[in-house]
Amino acid sequence: MAAAGPVLISNKVKKGVERAPHRSLLRALGLTDKEMDQPFVGVVNCYNEIIPGHTHLRQIAEAAKGGVRSAGGTPFEVNVPGVDDGIAMGHIGMRYSLASREVIADAVECMAVAHAFDALVFVTNCDKIVPGMLMAAMRVNLPCIFVAGGPMLAGHWQGQAVDLNTVFEAVGLVSKGDMSEEELERLERVACPTCGSCAGMFTANTMNCATEALGLALPGNGTIPAVDAARLRLAKEAGAKVMEVLEDRLRPRQIVTSDGLWNALAVDTALGGSTNSILHLLAIAHEAGADFPLDMVNEISARTPQLCRLSPAGSYHVEDLHRAGGIAAVMKEIESVLHTEVPTVTGGTVGENIADAEVRDHAVIRPLAEPHSPHGGLTVLFGSLAPEGAVVKSAAVAPAMMSHRGPARCFDSEDECVEAIMHQDFKEGDVLVLRYEGPRGGPGMPEMLSPTSIISGMGVDDKVALITDGRFSGATRGAAIGHVSPEAAAGGPIAAIQDGDEVIIDIADQRLDTAVSQGEIEARLAALPPFQPKIDSGYLKRYAQSVTSASKGAVFKD
């Protein structure tokens, strides 16, 4: 690290005679001469009033700004949009979720560069906001630090810990007749009891944990509960620490290298985290210019045992993970798999950060020698149905479905598929093929939590598989295989499958195939009419025209 101190980008807008008009506008904000001379730090806040994970972020941002001021910086809060995946789920709103990731990255770039910020504090939470901000951090490459709003506490119902996924699965119980609508209403009132990102190891918490594992956030970022006063202290410390990161001239691309991304995914597989993390880490790697091919997922997973089973794969929640020692404790257990020399925003390396970490509850974080599985919880499948890959949360797949052959039951939209499931219009052993829901075809690659959670709620997730070119919520469990690439809208083999075709799933061998011959697939694809977009106006039209395959992270074309 350089010792000469930072070169202030903000001098472009505040130094020199020709910048008098700029200074005049800054003085209109009430800035003192001292504040004008200090480094300008953008505090990028995704606060809004519709997302439970964001409702407290004004307080988190104020704490971060206090930390910046205490360390000699001048903070400026700016905001970016966010979509709540749970509220957007199951209707057209979900098509905007992944698409909003690019809007967030663009918005941060616009605000940070236009206003000549010297450093950035990202106040973040929830599914697409965390990766969108991480992509922006790579793109602008300014000294930065992340602080999340933290996880929600689990609810309690009938003597059990519950969360949002419990409610989604309960819809399946109601449709099957095993739960009354009155019971469902009582459950929905207690499942999400506090602010914060949903309590399980779903996408939001997976990405907050990944940010800590990457080295862009302070220890505790991934697991300190949203309602814990320690979360406010963490925000203050992050605000102060970014001034040291600026002084040291440490840029995010020095941290988020191939080795840093390896660490993040290794932690994710040890946790059994969301499949969406693969999609987002590929996109972050693209922005960082780091080499991170999709097939590296299987290499990491082969070397990393699964140590945790958090909801939806098990009964523990992120608050339990925090109590057990948090991400640092998980990283200490898998230290032999990690690149410990990677620098972090703490000023130390990964190895130095976890040197004193220890597991405080081995029921939550298994010892390395006694894992839930000798391999990680995420698997990428390749084969005749997915030449460019598909992703499954293997940690949450029933043993009986790790290898499965069954007839295809095809649907060209999520609505068709959900209707068939709700009416139990399928047979045990079927492979539900849900297509034209990829990045281009969706458009927006919507999450399919509704069909998978209803299947789980019906108790048939060990008897029925679902494959899609769309994606799944981090709350999904069962033989749910997503990100099938190429997608149907791009002429992928999934578009050629017909009802009754045999689909062959072999997760252990990392394969997703069909018994249909390659020649027959090519003939069927050639006979298909040209793809007609489902939405042909507005942002989603532009998104569909620009987006690449899920195997490339669903980033925009260069």
Side-chain angles (χ1 to χ4, degrees):
M1 295 180 185
V7 175
L8 297 186
I9 298 171
S10 60
N11 286 344
K12 294 178 180 179
V13 299
K14 65 187 183 184
K15 295 294 184 181
V17 173
E18 69 280 11
R19 294 298 184 248
H22 304 64
R23 291 193 296 273
S24 179
L25 290 169
L26 291 167
R27 293 187 193 283
L29 300 173
L31 292 189
T32 65
D33 289 345
K34 180 181 178 182
E35 289 173 317
M36 192 83 79
D37 288 338
Q38 293 177 156
F40 284 4
V41 179
V43 178
V44 185
N45 189 1
C46 56
Y47 165 79
N48 62 52
E49 293 184 336
I50 190 62
I51 303 180
H54 293 198
T55 188
H56 62 309
L57 291 187
R58 283 192 292 192
Q59 190 178 16
I60 298 293
E62 285 299 324
K65 288 189 286 186
V68 171
R69 293 189 188 100
S70 73
T74 301
F76 298 90
E77 184 177 342
V78 297
N79 292 86
V80 297
V83 171
D84 185 297
D85 280 26
I87 296 173
M89 194 73 65
H91 61 95
I92 191 173
M94 178 45 67
R95 305 187 187 283
Y96 287 88
S97 176
L98 181 62
S100 73
R101 188 188 69 181
E102 315 308 309
V103 175
I104 292 163
D106 289 349
V108 173
E109 177 190 355
C110 289
M111 295 301 291
V113 178
H115 299 103
F117 291 141
D118 297 302
L120 299 170
V121 178
F122 290 93
V123 178
T124 187
N125 234 18
C126 297
D127 295 25
K128 252 37 89 262
I129 296 93
V130 185
M133 288 185 170
L134 284 165
M135 291 167 65
M138 300 307 108
R139 191 183 301 174
V140 300
N141 203 30
L142 293 172
C144 70
I145 196 166
F146 280 67
V147 58
M152 183 184 290
L153 296 180
H156 293 276
W157 185 67
Q158 296 185 347
Q160 293 183 326
V162 295
D163 53 43
L164 178 66
N165 191 52
T166 316
V167 186
F168 271 102
E169 292 190 356
V171 174
L173 293 173
V174 172
S175 67
K176 193 179 179 183
D178 291 343
M179 177 185 282
S180 69
E181 291 187 26
E182 291 74 21
E183 288 177 300
L184 177 62
E185 182 182 352
R186 288 195 290 272
L187 170 61
E188 77 178 59
R189 292 181 182 275
V190 300
C192 298
T194 73
C195 63
S197 48
C198 297
M201 192 48 66
F202 313 143
T203 304
N205 290 323
T206 296
M207 291 308 301
N208 283 334
C209 292
T211 305
E212 182 178 338
L214 274 170
L216 285 172
L218 297 178
N221 181 74
T223 58
I224 297 173
V227 294
D228 194 323
R231 179 61 60 176
L232 289 177
R233 293 194 292 271
L234 185 75
K236 292 176 183 177
E237 292 166 3
K241 181 62 72 173
V242 79
M243 300 304 295
E244 295 180 23
V245 177
L246 173 62
E247 183 72 20
D248 291 337
R249 300 187 185 183
L250 180 62
R251 303 299 179 105
R253 289 188 193 174
Q254 296 171 255
I255 295 171
V256 184
T257 60
S258 295
D259 288 348
L261 290 160
W262 174 290
N263 290 345
L265 193 58
V267 170
D268 189 13
T269 57
L271 293 171
S274 168
T275 53
N276 284 316
S277 63
I278 297 174
L279 188 74
H280 298 320
L281 288 173
L282 288 170
I284 293 160
H286 173 80
E287 294 286 357
D291 185 34
F292 195 72
L294 183 60
D295 56 9
M296 189 180 290
V297 174
N298 288 337
E299 181 183 352
I300 293 171
S301 197
R303 295 177 57 181
T304 310
Q306 184 192 346
L307 304 184
C308 302
R309 278 191 177 163
L310 306 171
S311 177
S315 59
Y316 292 115
H317 290 82
V318 181
E319 64 196 81
D320 300 306
L321 177 62
H322 181 66
R323 173 179 50 79
I327 298 306
V330 174
M331 295 179 78
K332 185 67 175 177
E333 284 293 318
I334 62 169
E335 186 173 8
S336 60
V337 180
L338 302 178
H339 296 280
T340 55
E341 73 287 353
V342 172
T344 75
V345 292
T346 67
T349 64
V350 166
E352 290 168 339
N353 289 349
I354 65 175
D356 297 325
E358 60 180 357
V359 177
R360 296 192 288 269
D361 187 341
H362 279 295
V364 180
I365 305 172
R366 288 277 190 93
L368 186 66
E370 301 175 30
H372 289 287
S373 167
H375 307 299
L378 298 175
T379 304
V380 176
L381 312 179
F382 296 93
S384 60
L385 259 182
E388 294 179 9
V391 177
V392 62
K393 190 172 186 175
S394 47
V397 178
M401 296 300 291
M402 293 293 286
S403 178
H404 178 75
R405 302 171 75 104
R409 180 77 190 285
C410 299
F411 304 93
D412 289 346
S413 75
E414 181 185 8
D415 290 344
E416 293 177 19
C417 185
V418 170
E419 183 178 359
I421 294 170
M422 289 291 287
H423 288 89
Q424 301 182 50
D425 186 14
F426 59 86
K427 298 176 182 177
E428 290 187 8
D430 280 356
V431 178
L432 309 183
V433 178
L434 176 47
R435 59 198 177 193
Y436 294 101
E437 296 288 9
R440 178 185 171 197
M445 202 180 182
E447 289 184 346
M448 305 295 168
L449 179 56
S450 291
T452 58
S453 60
I454 296 169
I455 287 170
S456 295
M458 288 178 170
V460 294
D461 55 325
D462 60 344
K463 301 177 180 66
V464 176
L466 190 153
I467 69 171
T468 180
D469 52 8
R471 61 194 178 91
F472 297 113
S473 163
T476 292
R477 62 187 174 96
I481 299 168
H483 306 201
V484 173
S485 299
E487 62 175 297
I494 191 172
I497 297 301
Q498 298 176 359
D499 287 348
D501 289 345
E502 187 177 40
V503 176
I504 307 161
I505 300 167
D506 191 335
I507 296 174
D509 280 348
Q510 303 163 4
R511 298 289 303 180
L512 178 62
D513 293 288
T514 175
V516 180
S517 70
Q518 184 63 32
E520 177 63 17
I521 288 175
E522 292 174 359
R524 290 181 186 179
L525 290 174
L528 289 175
F531 170 69
Q532 297 298 318
K534 296 176 184 175
I535 297 175
D536 198 30
S537 64
Y539 174 57
L540 287 182
K541 176 182 179 179
R542 298 196 304 274
Y543 179 85
Q545 291 171 340
S546 303
V547 73
T548 60
S549 166
S551 62
K552 295 180 173 62
V555 298
F556 281 174
K557 299 171 185 173
D558 289 330

